[in-house]
Every structure is written in structure tokens, then in C-alpha cells.
Amino acid sequence: MPEAARRQHREGRVLARFSYLDGALRDPAILQSSHSQLLDDAALLALRQARCPAPPAGLTGRRLDLTVWISFRISSS
């Protein structure tokens, strides 16, 4: 959660896509915006900085196209 979004009490979710190939995420993109540039940018940054495990033997060299929801919620605790 970006600190600026937390201060503004912004919450939302982003639908993002990316490809996984040999332990790396590639080509992240927003498919459905949260309607907050702060949250959309944070989702893309999270995907760009993600560390992934190496692929299992059967997936080495194979590109997987994935779509995920990334939620930003301010916890009350």
C-alpha cells in the first residue's frame, strides 16, 4: 500500500496481467484500473519487483501468461 494512498484513505483493486518465464515476471500491464493512479502504479511496481522461484523442470523455457487481482485495503488493526 503506497503511503500516499494510505493517507488519502484510498482502497481499490487492480486487474493485472503478466508473463512468467524461467523465474521472472515480464510485461506487466493493467487490464482493469482501480481508478487511482497511485494504486495502479503501485500494482505495476509490485509486479516489476516481485521475486519468483525457478520453474519446475517441466516448465523451463515455457512462457505462462497470468492474470491476477491485486487488492489494496487499509487494515483497521
Side-chain angles (χ1 to χ4, degrees):
M1 171 67 83
E3 187 55 38
R6 184 181 308 278
R7 283 192 308 268
Q8 296 172 17
H9 302 284
R10 288 184 187 241
E11 294 185 324
R13 66 184 194 156
V14 176
L15 183 61
R17 73 158 171 77
F18 59 90
S19 297
Y20 170 87
L21 177 62
D22 296 336
L25 296 185
R26 300 169 188 263
D27 306 320
I30 301 296
L31 295 178
Q32 184 175 325
S33 172
S34 66
H35 304 292
S36 166
Q37 192 66 50
L38 281 171
L39 299 181
D40 292 354
D41 290 347
L44 287 174
L45 181 62
L47 290 172
R48 288 184 184 114
Q49 293 179 342
R51 300 291 176 247
C52 300
L59 293 179
T60 300
R62 288 187 53 202
R63 177 181 162 149
L64 300 175
D65 295 318
L66 302 164
T67 303
V68 297
W69 284 103
I70 301 172
S71 295
F72 295 94
R73 300 279 177 247
I74 299 172
S75 174
S76 59
S77 55

